[in-house]
Amino acid sequence: MDDRIQGRIQVPLSEIREKMQNILTALGVPGEDAAIAADALLDAERRGVESHGVMRLSTYADRIKLGLIEAKPEMKVYENGAVARLDGGNGLGMVVMAKAARTGIDLAKRYGIGMVTVGNSNHFSAAGYYAEMIAKEGCIAIVTSSAAPSMAPHGGMDTLFGTDPIAIAFPGAEQMFYGDMATSASSRGKIRVYSKTGREIPLGWAIDREGNDITDSVEAMKGILLPMSGHKGFILSMAIEAASSLLSGANLSCESSTIFDYTRTTNTGHSLIAIDIAHFLPLEEFEERAQQWFDRIKNSTPRPGYEIRIPGEQGDKRRKESEEFISLRRETAETIENYIRG
Amino acid sequence: MDDRIQGRIQVPLSEIREKMQNILTALGVPGEDAAIAADALLDAERRGVESHGVMRLSTYADRIKLGLIEAKPEMKVYENGAVARLDGGNGLGMVVMAKAARTGIDLAKRYGIGMVTVGNSNHFSAAGYYAEMIAKEGCIAIVTSSAAPSMAPHGGMDTLFGTDPIAIAFPGAEQMFYGDMATSASSRGKIRVYSKTGREIPLGWAIDREGNDITDSVEAMKGILLPMSGHKGFILSMAIEAASSLLSGANLSCESSTIFDYTRTTNTGHSLIAIDIAHFLPLEEFEERAQQWFDRIKNSTPRPGYEIRIPGEQGDKRRKESEEFISLRRETAETIENYIRG
C-alpha cells in the first residue's frame, strides 16, 4: 500500500507516543497516567481500530481543558470480598480502567474470580485493551461499558442505548483470544464507510427517524442504530448496562451524553470480571488445550472467499507490524501537531 | 385460540407434572431430582419454549435406560475460594445445574461473586431457568453451556460449534429481566417453522454444504447454522465454550455429539456466574432503579408494528396463564402417555 495515495503517513511509534504524553502532561495529567492513556489509544490504532485510536486524544484533551475530565482524579476503591466498586473521580477512562483492571487481577488471584464496577468515569478507548491486560495474567477477562446514546431498544426507535461494548480475552499457548465488539448491528463509522462508496447497508443495521428499515447508507447516517440480531443484541446491551451502570451508580446510556457534548460530564460506567484460570486447572493445561482448539478451528474448511481467524489474530498481526513505525491518517497526525502548536 | 384446531390439548399442570416425575422415578431417579427435572422442562414449556420443554423428557428417559445418563449421579464439588468446579457424575443436566446454581448463590453471598464450572453433565433444557433461580436470590446471573455441534465458525463451514446459549437474569422491583439466547443467528427449530410455510429465511442464518449463503428455508434445513452477526456470535460462542468446557474439563461442542446419538455420553459443559447485588449497593435501590429503567424503555416510542418488551416479559405472562392448565401439542402429550404405557 502506498501511504501517500491513501492520505496516510508513517510516524515513528516512540515519537507519536511522546507527543501524546506531552499533550496530556501539559494539561496536568501525571506522567504515569499520560503513558497509560497514550498506550491505550496507540494500541487501538495499531490493531486497526482507528475510531478508538489516536484521533480520540484531542477530544479528551479538550474535555480536560474545560474541566469536564479531571487531570488528577481522586480515585477510590471500595472492596467487599471478591468484588469492588471503583469511583473513578471523573478521570480519563483509560487511567480509571487500568486501575480497575489491576484491582480485578488482584481479586482474581486471591479469590479465583474478581469483579470491579466503575462509576464516575469517561470514554476509555477500546474495551479489549483492558481485557488483554487481565488475560496476560492468566485470566479469562470480561470487560463492558455503557456508552453515549445512539441505539434503539429492540422494537423501539428512541436512542436509549449506547453501542455498549463487551470485550473478552483469554490466553492460548501461542496466541491470545481477543474479542471486542459493540452490541449494535453496526457502528456509525462502518455505515460511514458504506456511504462514502454509495453501497447499500444490510437490513437490520439501522432505521430512519420514522422507524422504517433502511438500506440506503446515506440515509442511515441520519438514522438510528439497531441492536445486533434484534432482541439478542438488546439482551446483551441491557445486561452490559446493568453491570456497568446499575451496579456502579454511573449513568445508564439513556442518561448519558456524547463525548462531544461540552456542557456536562458523562459519568460513564464500566465493569470487569477477571477469572483466574489456575484456580480451576493448571494454566499451562488450559493454554495448551485452548491452542489445540484454536488450531483445529483455523485448519477447518473455510467458506469460499473467506478466511478463518481466531478473534484478535488480525489485530495482533497489525500490531506486530507497527512496533517501529505506525501508519496514521494524515488528518489524525495533524490533530496531534495542531494540539502541540496550541 | 381453539386448541383443537391447533392440534393442542389442555392438561392440568399438576397431572402432567406428576406423570413426568413418575417416568423418571420409575427409572431410578430420586424423587427430589425428578421434581427438579420436571419443573425445568415445564417451566420452558410454560414460557413458550417448546423446543426445550416437555418433548425433551422421552429422550432423557431413553438415555437413562441405555446407561448414557446416570439416574443417581455421584456429583462432586471442588471449591477454591469464590469459584468451584462441579463434576456432574453424568447426571441429568437439570439436576446437575440446579446443584451448580445453589453452589453459585452460596459463593456469591459469601464473596460478592461466585463462579461454578460444570463438567460431565448433559443437556439441561433452558439456560434461563437457572439464571432466574439465581436472580431470585438478589443476584445478577450469567449461565452458559456448550452444545451439540451444528454451527460453523465465522468464515468456515465445518460444524465445530453448538448454538451455545447464554442466559442472563437480574431482578427489577416489579419484574425480572430474563434473557436467554443462542449465539447462532437462528435455531434449526425456527428455520423449520419457515420451511413449513415456504417462507425465505434472512441472509446470514444458514449456508449450504458448499458454504454458499442460502435463503431457501427448505434447503437451509439440510444446511449449516451461522453465528449471529457473523464474527460477533463467533466471539461469544468461543467465550462461552472457554468458560463452559475449557475451564471445566468437559467436551467442547466440536468434541461432543447430539443427544440423539445413542452410542456415547455427551460430557456437556456449563458455567455460571452469580453476582450478589447487595455487595455493591442496597438490593432495593438496585431493583427500584432497574424498574424505572424498564418502565422508561417500555414507555418509549415503538417502531410501527412493533411492541417493546423487556426480555422475559412475554414468557412471564405465558407462565402466569398456565398455573392451572398447560397447553401441549397433542404429539408432545402423547410422548408422555406412550412412555407411561411402556
Side-chain angles (χ1 to χ4, degrees):
Chain A
M1 178 173 68
D2 185 330
D3 275 340
R4 285 164 305 177
I5 291 172
Q6 302 283 328
R8 302 184 73 89
I9 56 167
Q10 293 277 342
V11 184
L13 183 60
S14 57
E15 188 185 307
I16 183 82
R17 187 187 295 276
E18 204 186 325
K19 284 179 179 169
M20 291 171 76
Q21 289 176 202
N22 288 344
I23 287 173
L24 292 173
T25 50
L27 291 167
V29 175
E32 202 186 328
D33 290 356
I36 289 168
D39 192 62
L41 292 170
L42 282 168
D43 194 75
E45 186 81 36
R46 291 171 64 196
R47 295 187 74 94
V49 191
E50 291 182 8
S51 58
H52 290 63
V54 176
M55 62 175 269
R56 290 274 180 178
L57 184 73
S58 61
T59 316
Y60 296 147
D62 283 341
R63 293 185 76 86
I64 293 175
K65 269 190 197 166
L66 290 165
L68 295 168
I69 293 180
E70 290 298 326
K72 288 189 188 72
E74 254 189 73
M75 294 190 269
K76 287 180 208 129
V77 180
Y78 304 92
E79 277 191 26
N80 188 3
V83 305
R85 274 188 314 115
L86 170 56
D87 178 330
N90 194 30
L92 282 163
M94 293 79 72
V95 173
V96 175
M97 198 59 183
K99 185 173 181 63
R102 287 190 300 269
T103 306
I105 293 163
D106 178 52
L107 291 171
K109 294 296 168 186
R110 281 192 275 154
Y111 296 102
I113 188 167
M115 179 171 191
V116 184
T117 64
V118 182
N120 204 4
S121 183
N122 286 284
H123 192 269
F124 64 23
S125 179
Y129 182 77
Y130 315 97
E132 187 181 37
M133 190 184 285
I134 297 166
K136 274 184 178 163
E137 302 298 324
C139 293
I140 297 181
I142 309 170
V143 172
T144 70
S145 187
S146 295
S150 62
M151 186 176 90
H154 180 57
M157 49 191 280
D158 294 344
T159 53
L160 298 182
F161 287 85
T163 53
D164 299 348
I166 178 167
I168 300 158
F170 59 88
E174 290 157 28
Q175 69 187 108
M176 179 77 80
F177 174 93
Y178 174 110
D180 189 348
M181 57 190 250
T183 44
S184 53
S186 175
S187 63
R188 235 168 249 293
K190 202 164 174 186
I191 294 175
R192 189 177 295 116
V193 172
Y194 276 68
S195 74
K196 280 187 178 163
T197 55
R199 249 174 96 195
E200 288 214 328
I201 57 165
L203 259 181
W205 280 19
I207 49 175
D208 65 20
R209 298 276 157 183
E210 277 75 52
N212 303 304
D213 281 307
I214 35 177
T215 56
D216 181 319
S217 51
V218 179
E219 279 303 303
M221 282 303 294
K222 296 175 278 179
I224 298 155
L225 297 177
L226 290 177
M228 66 170 178
S229 291
H231 76 286
K232 297 189 181 188
F234 182 41
I235 287 172
L236 291 175
S237 296
M238 284 196 71
I240 287 167
E241 295 207 16
S244 309
S245 296
L246 291 184
L247 276 189
S248 72
N251 277 339
L252 293 158
S253 292
C254 62
E255 298 163 334
S256 195
S257 52
T258 82
I259 198 171
F260 306 108
D261 176 347
Y262 292 102
T263 66
R264 52 181 287 209
T265 57
T266 62
N267 187 12
T268 305
H270 323 300
S271 87
L272 68 85
I273 292 175
I275 302 159
D276 183 48
I277 294 165
H279 267 73
F280 292 88
L281 74 169
L283 178 60
E284 295 68 31
E285 204 178 307
F286 177 96
E287 288 179 340
E288 276 305 325
R289 190 159 172 235
Q291 191 63 47
Q292 284 166 15
W293 183 39
F294 295 166
D295 293 344
R296 176 163 178 189
I297 294 165
K298 287 195 280 183
N299 294 326
S300 71
T301 320
R303 293 177 60 185
Y306 282 82
E307 205 176 315
I308 305 174
R309 294 195 199 91
I310 301 304
E313 213 169 274
Q314 204 174 12
D316 281 351
K317 189 166 163 281
R318 284 190 181 136
R319 186 166 56 182
K320 275 204 195 80
E321 292 163 356
S322 62
E323 279 172 358
E324 301 279 325
F325 287 87
I326 181 171
S327 161
L328 291 179
R329 283 195 297 144
R330 194 172 292 276
E331 56 190 288
T332 301
E334 273 162 12
T335 61
I336 299 295
E337 296 304 329
N338 290 341
Y339 231 98
I340 291 168
R341 271 183 236 116
Chain B
M1 179 173 67
D2 186 330
D3 276 339
R4 285 164 305 176
I5 291 172
Q6 303 281 327
R8 303 183 73 89
I9 55 167
Q10 294 277 341
V11 185
L13 183 61
S14 57
E15 186 185 309
I16 183 83
R17 187 186 294 276
E18 203 186 326
K19 284 179 179 170
M20 292 171 75
Q21 288 176 202
N22 288 345
I23 287 173
L24 292 172
T25 51
L27 292 166
V29 175
E32 202 185 328
D33 291 356
I36 290 168
D39 191 61
L41 293 170
L42 282 169
D43 193 74
E45 185 82 35
R46 292 171 64 195
R47 295 185 74 93
V49 192
E50 290 183 8
S51 59
H52 291 62
V54 176
M55 61 175 272
R56 290 274 179 179
L57 183 72
S58 61
T59 317
Y60 297 147
D62 284 342
R63 293 185 75 87
I64 294 175
K65 269 190 196 165
L66 291 164
L68 295 168
I69 293 180
E70 291 297 328
K72 288 189 187 73
E74 253 189 74
M75 294 191 269
K76 287 179 207 129
V77 180
Y78 304 93
E79 276 193 26
N80 188 3
V83 304
R85 275 188 313 114
L86 169 57
D87 178 329
N90 193 30
L92 282 162
M94 292 79 71
V95 172
V96 174
M97 198 58 184
K99 183 171 181 64
R102 287 191 299 269
T103 306
I105 292 163
D106 178 51
L107 291 171
K109 293 296 168 187
R110 280 193 275 155
Y111 296 103
I113 188 168
M115 179 173 191
V116 184
T117 64
V118 182
N120 204 5
S121 183
N122 287 284
H123 191 270
F124 64 22
S125 179
Y129 182 76
Y130 315 97
E132 187 181 37
M133 190 184 286
I134 297 166
K136 274 183 180 165
E137 302 298 324
C139 293
I140 297 181
I142 309 170
V143 172
T144 71
S145 187
S146 295
S150 61
M151 186 177 90
H154 180 58
M157 49 192 277
D158 295 344
T159 52
L160 299 181
F161 287 85
T163 52
D164 299 347
I166 179 167
I168 300 157
F170 59 89
E174 289 158 28
Q175 69 187 106
M176 179 77 80
F177 173 93
Y178 174 110
D180 189 347
M181 56 189 251
T183 45
S184 53
S186 176
S187 64
R188 236 171 249 293
K190 202 164 172 184
I191 294 175
R192 189 176 297 116
V193 172
Y194 276 69
S195 74
K196 280 189 179 164
T197 55
R199 248 175 96 194
E200 289 214 328
I201 58 166
L203 259 180
W205 280 19
I207 49 176
D208 65 20
R209 297 275 157 185
E210 279 74 50
N212 304 304
D213 281 306
I214 35 176
T215 55
D216 181 320
S217 51
V218 179
E219 280 302 305
M221 283 304 294
K222 296 175 278 181
I224 298 155
L225 297 178
L226 289 177
M228 65 170 178
S229 291
H231 76 286
K232 296 189 182 188
F234 181 40
I235 287 172
L236 291 176
S237 295
M238 285 196 71
I240 287 167
E241 295 207 15
S244 309
S245 296
L246 292 183
L247 276 190
S248 72
N251 277 340
L252 292 158
S253 292
C254 63
E255 299 164 333
S256 194
S257 54
T258 81
I259 198 171
F260 305 109
D261 176 348
Y262 292 102
T263 66
R264 51 182 289 211
T265 58
T266 61
N267 186 14
T268 304
H270 324 300
S271 88
L272 68 86
I273 292 175
I275 302 159
D276 182 46
I277 294 165
H279 267 73
F280 293 88
L281 75 168
L283 177 61
E284 294 67 31
E285 205 178 306
F286 177 96
E287 288 179 341
E288 275 304 323
R289 190 158 171 236
Q291 190 62 48
Q292 283 165 14
W293 183 39
F294 295 166
D295 292 343
R296 177 163 176 188
I297 294 165
K298 288 194 280 181
N299 293 327
S300 70
T301 320
R303 292 177 62 185
Y306 282 81
E307 204 176 316
I308 304 173
R309 292 193 200 92
I310 302 304
E313 213 169 272
Q314 203 174 11
D316 280 351
K317 189 168 162 282
R318 283 192 181 135
R319 186 166 57 183
K320 275 204 195 84
E321 291 164 355
S322 62
E323 278 170 0
E324 301 278 326
F325 287 87
I326 181 171
S327 161
L328 291 178
R329 283 196 296 144
R330 195 171 291 276
E331 58 192 289
T332 301
E334 274 162 11
T335 61
I336 299 295
E337 296 305 327
N338 290 341
Y339 231 98
I340 291 169
R341 270 182 237 114

